[in-house]
Amino acid sequence: MYSPLGAPPTKDQIVIHEVGYLARNYWWVFPNTVSPFWRLYYNSRSGHKMVIGDREVELEPGHLVIIPDHVLFHPYGTEAVPHFWIAFSPGLLLAKPGPLLLPVSPEERGLVERICGKFTGPAEGDRFAIYHQSAALLHLVVSREEIGWNDAERSPVLVKVTDYIARNFVSLPDVPVLAKMAGVSARTLSAMFQREYHVSPTRFIARVRTSEAAKLLAETSLSLDEIAEKTGFPNRYYLTRVFTKLTGKSPARFRKESHAAAMGKEEP
């Protein structure tokens, strides 16, 4: 971890939160993932994929995959393959919503290989070299002409609001109250969310709560009533409706499939 909660103050900066590498990542099954940071993924062998909406994206040697922040996605993979990632925050906005699939260049692939070579184990290695070579990789990637950037800077107001939502999703005030806390009108806050995340504030909050509900469904035996209470949904029925709409699966089906997948998990 480098800057776990840092956010870039200007559009000219990139903040690196985490760089990771697993030589044999055999378990990449995390349905309903919503990250507060951007993610760059690269696998030097095929075997893992992610689902984003109705789109299936393979992680393979030919391209880099970039997921913007607060995008709901579903990683899947049980084959032991090399897995590299960077969690980061750019001070820029995409002109259109992601994800991005970029053919990897020889220079980018070489940097990834050098970074991975600096790891001596999970979360262990030459931190200085890993950080600076990762920064070089990100600057190469974000400067590519294929990426359509919006000239506007990220809103520091929205950074604070999304951080507040992430920390207090169980008990949040209504959107107009959130806006007042941020010092803007509800209309302005909604426009900010549409510009930066391409969703309404209400939809954004639903994604965060759904992601947390998915973790509890997969990792605990809590009832739907208990999960609704712990994730900010007013009741199990509303949880079921929102969860099914966002993920395409009912909570019961999701829990059954998650537990079945966990039972089939094997050590490499």
PDB file of all heavy atoms in Angstrom, residues 233-264:
ATOM      1  N   PHE A 233     -30.293  -0.945   3.648  1.00  0.00           N
ATOM      2  CA  PHE A 233     -31.569  -1.125   2.950  1.00  0.00           C
ATOM      3  C   PHE A 233     -32.698  -1.138   3.980  1.00  0.00           C
ATOM      4  O   PHE A 233     -32.548  -1.711   5.066  1.00  0.00           O
ATOM      5  CB  PHE A 233     -31.559  -2.433   2.162  1.00  0.00           C
ATOM      6  CG  PHE A 233     -30.661  -2.413   0.955  1.00  0.00           C
ATOM      7  CD1 PHE A 233     -29.421  -3.036   0.976  1.00  0.00           C
ATOM      8  CD2 PHE A 233     -31.063  -1.765  -0.204  1.00  0.00           C
ATOM      9  CE1 PHE A 233     -28.589  -3.016  -0.134  1.00  0.00           C
ATOM     10  CE2 PHE A 233     -30.242  -1.742  -1.323  1.00  0.00           C
ATOM     11  CZ  PHE A 233     -29.000  -2.358  -1.294  1.00  0.00           C
ATOM     12  N   PRO A 234     -33.842  -0.537   3.655  1.00  0.00           N
ATOM     13  CA  PRO A 234     -34.921  -0.454   4.647  1.00  0.00           C
ATOM     14  C   PRO A 234     -35.514  -1.800   5.055  1.00  0.00           C
ATOM     15  O   PRO A 234     -35.997  -1.953   6.173  1.00  0.00           O
ATOM     16  CB  PRO A 234     -35.977   0.423   3.950  1.00  0.00           C
ATOM     17  CG  PRO A 234     -35.644   0.368   2.499  1.00  0.00           C
ATOM     18  CD  PRO A 234     -34.168   0.186   2.417  1.00  0.00           C
ATOM     19  N   ASN A 235     -35.481  -2.786   4.148  1.00  0.00           N
ATOM     20  CA  ASN A 235     -36.002  -4.114   4.469  1.00  0.00           C
ATOM     21  C   ASN A 235     -35.485  -5.123   3.447  1.00  0.00           C
ATOM     22  O   ASN A 235     -34.852  -4.761   2.452  1.00  0.00           O
ATOM     23  CB  ASN A 235     -37.538  -4.120   4.500  1.00  0.00           C
ATOM     24  CG  ASN A 235     -38.125  -3.555   3.217  1.00  0.00           C
ATOM     25  OD1 ASN A 235     -37.888  -4.076   2.131  1.00  0.00           O
ATOM     26  ND2 ASN A 235     -38.881  -2.472   3.343  1.00  0.00           N
ATOM     27  N   ARG A 236     -35.760  -6.397   3.690  1.00  0.00           N
ATOM     28  CA  ARG A 236     -35.258  -7.473   2.829  1.00  0.00           C
ATOM     29  C   ARG A 236     -35.861  -7.403   1.426  1.00  0.00           C
ATOM     30  O   ARG A 236     -35.212  -7.796   0.457  1.00  0.00           O
ATOM     31  CB  ARG A 236     -35.557  -8.834   3.455  1.00  0.00           C
ATOM     32  CG  ARG A 236     -37.035  -9.138   3.634  1.00  0.00           C
ATOM     33  CD  ARG A 236     -37.246 -10.489   4.280  1.00  0.00           C
ATOM     34  NE  ARG A 236     -36.742 -11.564   3.435  1.00  0.00           N
ATOM     35  CZ  ARG A 236     -36.615 -12.825   3.839  1.00  0.00           C
ATOM     36  NH1 ARG A 236     -36.945 -13.145   5.078  1.00  0.00           N
ATOM     37  NH2 ARG A 236     -36.164 -13.732   3.017  1.00  0.00           N
ATOM     38  N   TYR A 237     -37.071  -6.903   1.319  1.00  0.00           N
ATOM     39  CA  TYR A 237     -37.736  -6.861   0.022  1.00  0.00           C
ATOM     40  C   TYR A 237     -37.090  -5.804  -0.890  1.00  0.00           C
ATOM     41  O   TYR A 237     -36.884  -6.037  -2.079  1.00  0.00           O
ATOM     42  CB  TYR A 237     -39.227  -6.582   0.207  1.00  0.00           C
ATOM     43  CG  TYR A 237     -39.882  -7.555   1.163  1.00  0.00           C
ATOM     44  CD1 TYR A 237     -40.240  -7.163   2.447  1.00  0.00           C
ATOM     45  CD2 TYR A 237     -40.097  -8.888   0.784  1.00  0.00           C
ATOM     46  CE1 TYR A 237     -40.806  -8.070   3.334  1.00  0.00           C
ATOM     47  CE2 TYR A 237     -40.663  -9.791   1.670  1.00  0.00           C
ATOM     48  CZ  TYR A 237     -41.010  -9.381   2.937  1.00  0.00           C
ATOM     49  OH  TYR A 237     -41.572 -10.280   3.817  1.00  0.00           O
ATOM     50  N   TYR A 238     -36.765  -4.661  -0.286  1.00  0.00           N
ATOM     51  CA  TYR A 238     -36.100  -3.619  -1.067  1.00  0.00           C
ATOM     52  C   TYR A 238     -34.689  -4.065  -1.440  1.00  0.00           C
ATOM     53  O   TYR A 238     -34.228  -3.836  -2.563  1.00  0.00           O
ATOM     54  CB  TYR A 238     -36.056  -2.325  -0.268  1.00  0.00           C
ATOM     55  CG  TYR A 238     -35.652  -1.127  -1.084  1.00  0.00           C
ATOM     56  CD1 TYR A 238     -36.519  -0.564  -2.011  1.00  0.00           C
ATOM     57  CD2 TYR A 238     -34.383  -0.561  -0.935  1.00  0.00           C
ATOM     58  CE1 TYR A 238     -36.149   0.533  -2.764  1.00  0.00           C
ATOM     59  CE2 TYR A 238     -34.006   0.540  -1.685  1.00  0.00           C
ATOM     60  CZ  TYR A 238     -34.893   1.070  -2.594  1.00  0.00           C
ATOM     61  OH  TYR A 238     -34.513   2.156  -3.355  1.00  0.00           O
ATOM     62  N   LEU A 239     -33.998  -4.712  -0.502  1.00  0.00           N
ATOM     63  CA  LEU A 239     -32.676  -5.278  -0.785  1.00  0.00           C
ATOM     64  C   LEU A 239     -32.753  -6.237  -1.965  1.00  0.00           C
ATOM     65  O   LEU A 239     -31.939  -6.169  -2.899  1.00  0.00           O
ATOM     66  CB  LEU A 239     -32.144  -6.003   0.451  1.00  0.00           C
ATOM     67  CG  LEU A 239     -30.977  -6.989   0.234  1.00  0.00           C
ATOM     68  CD1 LEU A 239     -29.750  -6.276  -0.307  1.00  0.00           C
ATOM     69  CD2 LEU A 239     -30.637  -7.719   1.534  1.00  0.00           C
ATOM     70  N   THR A 240     -33.719  -7.134  -1.937  1.00  0.00           N
ATOM     71  CA  THR A 240     -33.856  -8.120  -3.014  1.00  0.00           C
ATOM     72  C   THR A 240     -34.111  -7.445  -4.355  1.00  0.00           C
ATOM     73  O   THR A 240     -33.514  -7.823  -5.375  1.00  0.00           O
ATOM     74  CB  THR A 240     -35.004  -9.096  -2.696  1.00  0.00           C
ATOM     75  OG1 THR A 240     -34.692  -9.797  -1.485  1.00  0.00           O
ATOM     76  CG2 THR A 240     -35.199 -10.090  -3.833  1.00  0.00           C
ATOM     77  N   ARG A 241     -34.963  -6.443  -4.364  1.00  0.00           N
ATOM     78  CA  ARG A 241     -35.292  -5.760  -5.615  1.00  0.00           C
ATOM     79  C   ARG A 241     -34.074  -5.040  -6.205  1.00  0.00           C
ATOM     80  O   ARG A 241     -33.768  -5.176  -7.399  1.00  0.00           O
ATOM     81  CB  ARG A 241     -36.438  -4.771  -5.387  1.00  0.00           C
ATOM     82  CG  ARG A 241     -36.896  -4.093  -6.670  1.00  0.00           C
ATOM     83  CD  ARG A 241     -38.255  -3.437  -6.511  1.00  0.00           C
ATOM     84  NE  ARG A 241     -38.208  -2.266  -5.645  1.00  0.00           N
ATOM     85  CZ  ARG A 241     -38.733  -2.212  -4.434  1.00  0.00           C
ATOM     86  NH1 ARG A 241     -39.342  -3.269  -3.915  1.00  0.00           N
ATOM     87  NH2 ARG A 241     -38.671  -1.105  -3.716  1.00  0.00           N
ATOM     88  N   VAL A 242     -33.363  -4.298  -5.377  1.00  0.00           N
ATOM     89  CA  VAL A 242     -32.198  -3.548  -5.857  1.00  0.00           C
ATOM     90  C   VAL A 242     -31.066  -4.499  -6.233  1.00  0.00           C
ATOM     91  O   VAL A 242     -30.420  -4.343  -7.282  1.00  0.00           O
ATOM     92  CB  VAL A 242     -31.724  -2.548  -4.783  1.00  0.00           C
ATOM     93  CG1 VAL A 242     -30.418  -1.887  -5.208  1.00  0.00           C
ATOM     94  CG2 VAL A 242     -32.789  -1.488  -4.538  1.00  0.00           C
ATOM     95  N   PHE A 243     -30.796  -5.495  -5.404  1.00  0.00           N
ATOM     96  CA  PHE A 243     -29.721  -6.452  -5.648  1.00  0.00           C
ATOM     97  C   PHE A 243     -29.948  -7.168  -6.980  1.00  0.00           C
ATOM     98  O   PHE A 243     -29.022  -7.314  -7.792  1.00  0.00           O
ATOM     99  CB  PHE A 243     -29.664  -7.465  -4.503  1.00  0.00           C
ATOM    100  CG  PHE A 243     -28.427  -8.312  -4.498  1.00  0.00           C
ATOM    101  CD1 PHE A 243     -27.353  -7.982  -3.691  1.00  0.00           C
ATOM    102  CD2 PHE A 243     -28.331  -9.454  -5.286  1.00  0.00           C
ATOM    103  CE1 PHE A 243     -26.205  -8.771  -3.675  1.00  0.00           C
ATOM    104  CE2 PHE A 243     -27.197 -10.237  -5.283  1.00  0.00           C
ATOM    105  CZ  PHE A 243     -26.125  -9.892  -4.468  1.00  0.00           C
ATOM    106  N   THR A 244     -31.170  -7.614  -7.209  1.00  0.00           N
ATOM    107  CA  THR A 244     -31.486  -8.339  -8.439  1.00  0.00           C
ATOM    108  C   THR A 244     -31.358  -7.435  -9.654  1.00  0.00           C
ATOM    109  O   THR A 244     -30.852  -7.849 -10.707  1.00  0.00           O
ATOM    110  CB  THR A 244     -32.907  -8.919  -8.367  1.00  0.00           C
ATOM    111  OG1 THR A 244     -33.018  -9.757  -7.210  1.00  0.00           O
ATOM    112  CG2 THR A 244     -33.225  -9.742  -9.606  1.00  0.00           C
ATOM    113  N   LYS A 245     -31.775  -6.188  -9.517  1.00  0.00           N
ATOM    114  CA  LYS A 245     -31.696  -5.245 -10.639  1.00  0.00           C
ATOM    115  C   LYS A 245     -30.248  -4.951 -11.011  1.00  0.00           C
ATOM    116  O   LYS A 245     -29.896  -4.880 -12.200  1.00  0.00           O
ATOM    117  CB  LYS A 245     -32.414  -3.954 -10.277  1.00  0.00           C
ATOM    118  CG  LYS A 245     -32.461  -2.941 -11.404  1.00  0.00           C
ATOM    119  CD  LYS A 245     -33.270  -1.709 -11.012  1.00  0.00           C
ATOM    120  CE  LYS A 245     -33.339  -0.714 -12.165  1.00  0.00           C
ATOM    121  NZ  LYS A 245     -34.141   0.488 -11.799  1.00  0.00           N
ATOM    122  N   LEU A 246     -29.380  -4.788 -10.024  1.00  0.00           N
ATOM    123  CA  LEU A 246     -27.995  -4.416 -10.299  1.00  0.00           C
ATOM    124  C   LEU A 246     -27.124  -5.592 -10.717  1.00  0.00           C
ATOM    125  O   LEU A 246     -26.181  -5.431 -11.494  1.00  0.00           O
ATOM    126  CB  LEU A 246     -27.376  -3.744  -9.074  1.00  0.00           C
ATOM    127  CG  LEU A 246     -27.859  -2.334  -8.749  1.00  0.00           C
ATOM    128  CD1 LEU A 246     -27.126  -1.785  -7.533  1.00  0.00           C
ATOM    129  CD2 LEU A 246     -27.653  -1.395  -9.931  1.00  0.00           C
ATOM    130  N   THR A 247     -27.404  -6.773 -10.190  1.00  0.00           N
ATOM    131  CA  THR A 247     -26.526  -7.921 -10.455  1.00  0.00           C
ATOM    132  C   THR A 247     -27.111  -8.946 -11.408  1.00  0.00           C
ATOM    133  O   THR A 247     -26.383  -9.795 -11.932  1.00  0.00           O
ATOM    134  CB  THR A 247     -26.177  -8.647  -9.142  1.00  0.00           C
ATOM    135  OG1 THR A 247     -27.349  -9.316  -8.643  1.00  0.00           O
ATOM    136  CG2 THR A 247     -25.660  -7.667  -8.093  1.00  0.00           C
ATOM    137  N   GLY A 248     -28.423  -8.896 -11.617  1.00  0.00           N
ATOM    138  CA  GLY A 248     -29.052  -9.895 -12.470  1.00  0.00           C
ATOM    139  C   GLY A 248     -29.341 -11.199 -11.746  1.00  0.00           C
ATOM    140  O   GLY A 248     -29.798 -12.163 -12.359  1.00  0.00           O
ATOM    141  N   LYS A 249     -29.074 -11.229 -10.438  1.00  0.00           N
ATOM    142  CA  LYS A 249     -29.323 -12.435  -9.642  1.00  0.00           C
ATOM    143  C   LYS A 249     -30.011 -12.046  -8.342  1.00  0.00           C
ATOM    144  O   LYS A 249     -29.712 -10.998  -7.764  1.00  0.00           O
ATOM    145  CB  LYS A 249     -28.013 -13.162  -9.313  1.00  0.00           C
ATOM    146  CG  LYS A 249     -27.229 -13.642 -10.514  1.00  0.00           C
ATOM    147  CD  LYS A 249     -25.940 -14.302 -10.074  1.00  0.00           C
ATOM    148  CE  LYS A 249     -25.130 -14.761 -11.286  1.00  0.00           C
ATOM    149  NZ  LYS A 249     -23.855 -15.394 -10.878  1.00  0.00           N
ATOM    150  N   SER A 250     -30.904 -12.909  -7.882  1.00  0.00           N
ATOM    151  CA  SER A 250     -31.504 -12.675  -6.577  1.00  0.00           C
ATOM    152  C   SER A 250     -30.469 -12.938  -5.488  1.00  0.00           C
ATOM    153  O   SER A 250     -29.492 -13.664  -5.711  1.00  0.00           O
ATOM    154  CB  SER A 250     -32.705 -13.598  -6.372  1.00  0.00           C
ATOM    155  OG  SER A 250     -32.260 -14.940  -6.236  1.00  0.00           O
ATOM    156  N   PRO A 251     -30.630 -12.368  -4.295  1.00  0.00           N
ATOM    157  CA  PRO A 251     -29.696 -12.666  -3.202  1.00  0.00           C
ATOM    158  C   PRO A 251     -29.591 -14.164  -2.915  1.00  0.00           C
ATOM    159  O   PRO A 251     -28.498 -14.670  -2.658  1.00  0.00           O
ATOM    160  CB  PRO A 251     -30.289 -11.915  -2.014  1.00  0.00           C
ATOM    161  CG  PRO A 251     -31.032 -10.781  -2.628  1.00  0.00           C
ATOM    162  CD  PRO A 251     -31.606 -11.332  -3.905  1.00  0.00           C
ATOM    163  N   ALA A 252     -30.719 -14.877  -2.970  1.00  0.00           N
ATOM    164  CA  ALA A 252     -30.694 -16.316  -2.680  1.00  0.00           C
ATOM    165  C   ALA A 252     -29.854 -17.064  -3.710  1.00  0.00           C
ATOM    166  O   ALA A 252     -29.039 -17.929  -3.363  1.00  0.00           O
ATOM    167  CB  ALA A 252     -32.115 -16.870  -2.661  1.00  0.00           C
ATOM    168  N   ARG A 253     -30.046 -16.732  -4.976  1.00  0.00           N
ATOM    169  CA  ARG A 253     -29.264 -17.389  -6.025  1.00  0.00           C
ATOM    170  C   ARG A 253     -27.784 -17.029  -5.922  1.00  0.00           C
ATOM    171  O   ARG A 253     -26.914 -17.888  -6.071  1.00  0.00           O
ATOM    172  CB  ARG A 253     -29.796 -16.982  -7.400  1.00  0.00           C
ATOM    173  CG  ARG A 253     -29.032 -17.626  -8.555  1.00  0.00           C
ATOM    174  CD  ARG A 253     -29.534 -17.142  -9.897  1.00  0.00           C
ATOM    175  NE  ARG A 253     -28.679 -17.592 -10.967  1.00  0.00           N
ATOM    176  CZ  ARG A 253     -28.731 -17.129 -12.213  1.00  0.00           C
ATOM    177  NH1 ARG A 253     -29.627 -16.196 -12.530  1.00  0.00           N
ATOM    178  NH2 ARG A 253     -27.910 -17.574 -13.137  1.00  0.00           N
ATOM    179  N   PHE A 254     -27.517 -15.760  -5.635  1.00  0.00           N
ATOM    180  CA  PHE A 254     -26.129 -15.333  -5.497  1.00  0.00           C
ATOM    181  C   PHE A 254     -25.439 -16.081  -4.356  1.00  0.00           C
ATOM    182  O   PHE A 254     -24.315 -16.559  -4.494  1.00  0.00           O
ATOM    183  CB  PHE A 254     -26.064 -13.827  -5.242  1.00  0.00           C
ATOM    184  CG  PHE A 254     -24.679 -13.337  -4.945  1.00  0.00           C
ATOM    185  CD1 PHE A 254     -23.776 -13.083  -5.959  1.00  0.00           C
ATOM    186  CD2 PHE A 254     -24.271 -13.141  -3.628  1.00  0.00           C
ATOM    187  CE1 PHE A 254     -22.493 -12.648  -5.671  1.00  0.00           C
ATOM    188  CE2 PHE A 254     -22.995 -12.714  -3.337  1.00  0.00           C
ATOM    189  CZ  PHE A 254     -22.100 -12.461  -4.361  1.00  0.00           C
ATOM    190  N   ARG A 255     -26.118 -16.194  -3.218  1.00  0.00           N
ATOM    191  CA  ARG A 255     -25.534 -16.891  -2.063  1.00  0.00           C
ATOM    192  C   ARG A 255     -25.288 -18.364  -2.391  1.00  0.00           C
ATOM    193  O   ARG A 255     -24.219 -18.903  -2.081  1.00  0.00           O
ATOM    194  CB  ARG A 255     -26.452 -16.764  -0.855  1.00  0.00           C
ATOM    195  CG  ARG A 255     -26.078 -17.649   0.308  1.00  0.00           C
ATOM    196  CD  ARG A 255     -26.867 -17.292   1.554  1.00  0.00           C
ATOM    197  NE  ARG A 255     -26.167 -16.309   2.356  1.00  0.00           N
ATOM    198  CZ  ARG A 255     -26.686 -15.680   3.404  1.00  0.00           C
ATOM    199  NH1 ARG A 255     -27.951 -15.918   3.746  1.00  0.00           N
ATOM    200  NH2 ARG A 255     -25.969 -14.824   4.100  1.00  0.00           N
ATOM    201  N   LYS A 256     -26.241 -19.003  -3.042  1.00  0.00           N
ATOM    202  CA  LYS A 256     -26.092 -20.413  -3.398  1.00  0.00           C
ATOM    203  C   LYS A 256     -24.903 -20.622  -4.319  1.00  0.00           C
ATOM    204  O   LYS A 256     -24.089 -21.528  -4.110  1.00  0.00           O
ATOM    205  CB  LYS A 256     -27.378 -20.915  -4.064  1.00  0.00           C
ATOM    206  CG  LYS A 256     -27.344 -22.389  -4.446  1.00  0.00           C
ATOM    207  CD  LYS A 256     -28.681 -22.811  -5.063  1.00  0.00           C
ATOM    208  CE  LYS A 256     -28.633 -24.285  -5.456  1.00  0.00           C
ATOM    209  NZ  LYS A 256     -29.935 -24.717  -6.062  1.00  0.00           N
ATOM    210  N   GLU A 257     -24.756 -19.758  -5.345  1.00  0.00           N
ATOM    211  CA  GLU A 257     -23.656 -19.909  -6.294  1.00  0.00           C
ATOM    212  C   GLU A 257     -22.317 -19.581  -5.637  1.00  0.00           C
ATOM    213  O   GLU A 257     -21.307 -20.231  -5.929  1.00  0.00           O
ATOM    214  CB  GLU A 257     -23.896 -19.004  -7.499  1.00  0.00           C
ATOM    215  CG  GLU A 257     -25.069 -19.451  -8.361  1.00  0.00           C
ATOM    216  CD  GLU A 257     -25.273 -18.570  -9.574  1.00  0.00           C
ATOM    217  OE1 GLU A 257     -24.520 -17.573  -9.717  1.00  0.00           O
ATOM    218  OE2 GLU A 257     -26.177 -18.864 -10.377  1.00  0.00           O
ATOM    219  N   SER A 258     -22.298 -18.589  -4.755  1.00  0.00           N
ATOM    220  CA  SER A 258     -21.061 -18.226  -4.070  1.00  0.00           C
ATOM    221  C   SER A 258     -20.579 -19.347  -3.164  1.00  0.00           C
ATOM    222  O   SER A 258     -19.390 -19.684  -3.136  1.00  0.00           O
ATOM    223  CB  SER A 258     -21.265 -16.948  -3.243  1.00  0.00           C
ATOM    224  OG  SER A 258     -21.577 -15.866  -4.068  1.00  0.00           O
ATOM    225  N   HIS A 259     -21.501 -19.953  -2.434  1.00  0.00           N
ATOM    226  CA  HIS A 259     -21.128 -21.053  -1.543  1.00  0.00           C
ATOM    227  C   HIS A 259     -20.698 -22.278  -2.342  1.00  0.00           C
ATOM    228  O   HIS A 259     -19.759 -22.980  -1.952  1.00  0.00           O
ATOM    229  CB  HIS A 259     -22.298 -21.402  -0.626  1.00  0.00           C
ATOM    230  CG  HIS A 259     -22.555 -20.365   0.415  1.00  0.00           C
ATOM    231  ND1 HIS A 259     -23.548 -20.481   1.369  1.00  0.00           N
ATOM    232  CD2 HIS A 259     -21.954 -19.175   0.658  1.00  0.00           C
ATOM    233  CE1 HIS A 259     -23.530 -19.417   2.156  1.00  0.00           C
ATOM    234  NE2 HIS A 259     -22.594 -18.617   1.742  1.00  0.00           N
ATOM    235  N   ALA A 260     -21.354 -22.528  -3.474  1.00  0.00           N
ATOM    236  CA  ALA A 260     -20.965 -23.659  -4.322  1.00  0.00           C
ATOM    237  C   ALA A 260     -19.561 -23.447  -4.875  1.00  0.00           C
ATOM    238  O   ALA A 260     -18.747 -24.373  -4.933  1.00  0.00           O
ATOM    239  CB  ALA A 260     -21.964 -23.828  -5.461  1.00  0.00           C
ATOM    240  N   ALA A 261     -19.261 -22.202  -5.267  1.00  0.00           N
ATOM    241  CA  ALA A 261     -17.932 -21.906  -5.798  1.00  0.00           C
ATOM    242  C   ALA A 261     -16.871 -22.059  -4.712  1.00  0.00           C
ATOM    243  O   ALA A 261     -15.789 -22.583  -4.952  1.00  0.00           O
ATOM    244  CB  ALA A 261     -17.906 -20.485  -6.363  1.00  0.00           C
ATOM    245  N   ALA A 262     -17.190 -21.607  -3.489  1.00  0.00           N
ATOM    246  CA  ALA A 262     -16.250 -21.735  -2.384  1.00  0.00           C
ATOM    247  C   ALA A 262     -15.979 -23.186  -2.031  1.00  0.00           C
ATOM    248  O   ALA A 262     -14.850 -23.564  -1.703  1.00  0.00           O
ATOM    249  CB  ALA A 262     -16.763 -20.983  -1.159  1.00  0.00           C
ATOM    250  N   MET A 263     -16.988 -24.024  -2.111  1.00  0.00           N
ATOM    251  CA  MET A 263     -16.818 -25.448  -1.829  1.00  0.00           C
ATOM    252  C   MET A 263     -15.900 -26.115  -2.855  1.00  0.00           C
ATOM    253  O   MET A 263     -15.201 -27.074  -2.556  1.00  0.00           O
ATOM    254  CB  MET A 263     -18.172 -26.145  -1.821  1.00  0.00           C
ATOM    255  CG  MET A 263     -19.054 -25.769  -0.643  1.00  0.00           C
ATOM    256  SD  MET A 263     -18.369 -26.295   0.949  1.00  0.00           S
ATOM    257  CE  MET A 263     -18.566 -28.080   0.791  1.00  0.00           C
ATOM    258  N   GLY A 264     -15.907 -25.556  -4.068  1.00  0.00           N
ATOM    259  CA  GLY A 264     -15.077 -26.133  -5.120  1.00  0.00           C
ATOM    260  C   GLY A 264     -13.680 -25.565  -5.171  1.00  0.00           C
ATOM    261  O   GLY A 264     -12.873 -25.951  -6.009  1.00  0.00           O
TER     262      GLY A 264
END
